[in-house]
């Protein structure tokens, strides 16, 4: 009985190694749009400069608001999250 159990466990481990892996949620820096920090201001990918308010969020030129989340990232009005990096924020 124990040989069958060991065989079954070994087969399960071998098959699990063949299972497709889920893609990583990390933003690919080469395809990401960058919001760059310039002192007290931020430069958006289109070159527009904005000044964050006391909460770390800011208004876009079209009037929509970008808020800062608890993890230090930015939450765009369309629900996309920009992650902080060394120069500002990377947005997918």
């Amino acid at each position: 009985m124990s040989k069958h159990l060991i065989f079954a466990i070994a087969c399960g481990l071998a098959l699990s190694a063949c299972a497709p892996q889920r893609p990583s949620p990390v933003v690919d820096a080469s395809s990401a749009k960058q919001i760059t920090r310039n002192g007290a201001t931020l430069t958006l990918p289109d070159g527009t400069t904005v000044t964050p308010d006391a909460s770390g969020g800011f208004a876009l030129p079209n009037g929509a608001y970008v808020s800062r989340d608890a993890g230090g990232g930015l939450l765009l009005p369309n629900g996309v999250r920009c992650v902080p990096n060394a120069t500002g924020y990377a947005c997918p």
Side-chain angles (χ1 to χ4, degrees), residues 23-34 81-85 89-92:
S24 173
V26 175
V27 176
D28 177 18
S30 64
S31 65
K33 294 179 182 167
Q34 183 69 28
R81 183 175 187 270
C82 300
V83 295
N85 61 23
Y89 302 90
C91 304

Side-chain angles (χ1 to χ4, degrees), residues 7-66:
F7 180 73
I9 292 172
C11 287
L13 290 173
L15 290 174
S16 69
C18 296
Q21 301 296 318
R22 290 185 179 176
S24 173
V26 175
V27 176
D28 177 18
S30 64
S31 65
K33 294 179 182 167
Q34 183 69 28
I35 297 176
T36 308
R37 185 181 323 276
N38 296 313
T41 63
L42 297 172
T43 303
L44 305 180
D46 68 356
T48 304
T49 301
V50 295
T51 303
D53 58 24
S55 70
F58 55 90
L60 294 172
N62 66 2
Y65 188 75
V66 176

